[in-house]
Amino acid sequence: MTKRPDKSSNRIKRRPFMADLLSRRGTALVVPGLGSPTWDCFAAGDHAEYLYFWGGMGLAVPTALGVALSQPGRRVLCVTGDGEMLMGIGSLAVVADQAPDNLAILVLDNESFGETGRQRGLTSNRVDIAAVAKAFGLRQTRTITEQGAVAELAEFLFKGAGPVLAVAKIAISDDPWRLPEKDGATIAYRFRTALGLEQG
Amino acid sequence: MSGGSNWSEDVLRAMQAREIATVCTIPDGGLTQLLRLIEASGSARLVTLTTEEEGVGIATGCWLAGARAMLAMQSSGVGNCINALGLPAAFRAPCLLLVTMRGQWGEFNPWQVPMGQAVRPALEAVGVKCYLVDKPEEVGETFAAAADFAFNSRVSAAVLISQRVIGAKGFGQK
C-alpha cells in the first residue's frame, strides 16, 4: 500500500501537541480512545488518572460520559480520533442531552485510519465533526489547525463550561510506539485507586 | 401481569436498595412502566441512547468512577452490544443488563425471531451470565440476584424477561 502524503492543511504534530496540552490539564481525568490517542497520552507521561483503551472502538466518548456523570466535581477530557468519533457519532447526541458541564472532547483528526495503514477517512472529504457536534447541541465547538493554539485550547477544554468538543487537524506522522499497561483490570484498578475507590 | 405481582415496582425497589443511580436505555414496550416509575421516583437518572452499545460504555464509565448503572433494552438491542461488552470484560468491571425479550414466547413478528433466539448464546459467548425469568413474581428477586452477582463479583450479567411475562405484541391481529 502506498502511504498517503500528508496534507498541508494538517500541520499539527500530535505528540508535542498532546504533551503540551496534557501539561495544562490540572486535575482533569483523561479518557483516551484506542490506538494513537492512548499512545499519545502515555508518551506524554504515565498517570493513574489516564484510563487507557486498547479496544472498544466507538466507546471512548460514552465511557468518558459515564465518568463525567459520576464525578461531577472533576473535569473529564476524552481524547479520540476521527474514525472512532464517527463510529460512535450518535454518542454526541447523548452527551448533548445529558449536558455534563465537566466533559470535554478532543478529536485528533488526521483524516485517516492511522492505526491500520492510513486508509482514507471520511473527514478527508466533506464530513465536519465539529459542525455535527454543534448541530447535536454541544455547548461549544471549535476546530484547531495551528500547533500554537494549545494554550487557548487548554482554556477551552479544561476551564469553560462543558460539554465542549474541539477538533485538532493533525498531521499524519510516524511516531514511535509508546505502549502503556494493557491489562484492563490493572488500568481500571489504578484509575479507581486514584479516585479513592480502591485501597490501592 | 398476573397474580397481583408488579415486576416493575419490584425491580425499582431492588435498584434503589442497590443504589443504581443511572439507567441507560433504548425503550421497549415491555419497559414502559419501569421507565415511568424510575422517572417518577427520581432515584435514578435516565440516559436515552442512540444505540444500545453506548450504554455499555456509559455504565462501565460510571462504575470506573464510583457509581452504579445499568442498561434496559429490548432483545434486538443485545446484538448491538456484543463487541462493546468486551470493554467491561477487559476492565473487569460489571455491566448489568435488563432485557425484555422478543422473538420468543408467542411472537407475531418474524423479524424479531433471529436476534431474539440468539440473545442468550450471544451474551454467553462474550461472558455475560444470563438469568431468564418467565414468571412476573420472580423478576424482582432475579434482578436483585443478578445485580448482586454483577457488582460484587465484577462481571456482567443479564436478566432476560420472557415475552411470557410481558405478553406478546399482537399488532391488533388475532
Side-chain angles (χ1 to χ4, degrees):
Chain A
M1 168 167 317
T2 313
K3 283 188 175 178
R4 291 195 308 116
D6 187 15
K7 283 173 45 174
S8 58
S9 63
N10 283 32
R11 283 188 289 265
I12 297 171
K13 292 181 171 60
R14 63 187 308 152
R15 286 279 167 89
F17 181 78
M18 285 304 298
D20 194 352
L21 179 69
L22 290 169
S23 74
R24 302 165 192 260
R25 78 180 165 93
T27 59
L29 303 168
V30 182
V31 180
L34 80 169
S36 296
T38 278
W39 320 150
D40 290 342
C41 289
F42 179 67
D46 189 24
H47 289 278
E49 291 162 332
Y50 293 177
L51 187 69
Y52 301 120
F53 273 52
W54 281 77
M57 186 165 174
L59 294 176
V61 166
T63 305
L65 173 59
V67 172
L69 292 173
S70 305
Q71 290 282 332
R74 295 290 290 270
R75 178 64 54 145
V76 178
L77 173 67
C78 179
V79 186
T80 181
D82 48 293
E84 181 180 42
M85 189 67 261
L86 287 173
M87 182 176 281
I89 196 72
S91 62
L92 292 179
V94 186
V95 166
D97 187 56
Q98 293 295 318
D101 62 8
N102 59 333
L103 179 61
I105 300 163
L106 173 62
V107 182
L108 299 173
D109 181 4
N110 61 4
E111 305 179 356
S112 60
F113 292 90
E115 210 60 29
T116 55
R118 299 183 180 177
Q119 296 88 347
R120 185 179 76 84
L122 292 165
T123 55
S124 65
N125 189 9
R126 294 199 170 99
V127 176
D128 179 345
I129 290 173
V132 172
K134 187 175 181 202
F136 270 140
L138 269 74
R139 191 182 295 270
Q140 281 195 75
T141 64
R142 63 181 53 179
T143 297
I144 307 293
T145 56
E146 300 296 333
Q147 195 91 19
V150 173
E152 187 196 342
L153 179 64
E155 285 287 311
F156 178 74
L157 295 173
F158 299 128
K159 298 283 198 292
V164 297
L165 178 142
V167 172
K169 287 288 188 179
I170 59 164
I172 293 173
S173 55
D174 279 312
D175 299 302
W177 294 103
R178 290 298 308 275
L179 309 179
E181 173 64 49
K182 67 181 169 187
D183 178 60
T186 303
I187 297 163
Y189 189 81
R190 216 172 66 131
F191 184 78
R192 282 172 53 89
T193 301
L195 290 173
L197 301 168
E198 305 281 359
Q199 296 301 315
Chain B
M1 236 57 71
S2 67
S5 170
N6 186 321
W7 65 264
S8 297
E9 288 175 3
D10 297 342
V11 169
L12 180 67
R13 265 193 299 278
M15 282 176 54
Q16 289 170 331
R18 286 159 185 78
E19 298 182 328
I20 294 173
T22 300
V23 178
C24 304
T25 192
I26 299 275
D28 179 45
L31 293 166
T32 304
Q33 195 193 6
L34 176 61
L35 296 175
R36 270 198 205 126
L37 288 173
I38 292 167
E39 238 176 344
S41 75
S43 63
R45 170 198 296 118
L46 273 186
V47 178
T48 302
L49 309 168
T50 74
T51 174
E52 292 84 353
E53 68 222 68
E54 294 161 354
V56 177
I58 294 167
T60 302
C62 285
W63 184 83
L64 289 167
R68 289 178 170 188
M70 60 179 273
L71 266 83
M73 62 186 157
Q74 187 191 87
S75 48
S76 51
V78 169
N80 295 344
C81 294
I82 296 302
N83 181 51
L85 285 162
L87 185 80
F91 278 135
R92 193 75 160 81
C95 191
L96 177 63
L97 316 177
L98 181 67
V99 180
T100 41
M101 292 301 298
R102 293 290 306 271
Q104 188 215 26
W105 186 275
E107 178 61 61
F108 173 83
N109 180 354
W111 295 50
Q112 286 282 359
V113 175
M115 188 63 234
Q117 292 294 314
V119 162
R120 187 165 194 154
L123 283 173
E124 287 175 346
V126 290
V128 178
K129 167 73 179 166
C130 293
Y131 298 83
L132 178 67
V133 210
D134 60 7
K135 295 188 179 70
E137 63 273 19
E138 291 178 2
V139 173
E141 65 176 16
T142 306
F143 175 82
D148 289 343
F149 173 79
F151 293 116
N152 294 333
S153 299
R154 300 187 175 185
V155 289
S156 295
V159 178
L160 314 178
I161 303 179
S162 170
Q163 258 177 305
R164 191 175 187 179
V165 172
I166 291 149
K169 187 174 177 180
F171 293 90
Q173 308 291 309
K174 288 187 180 170

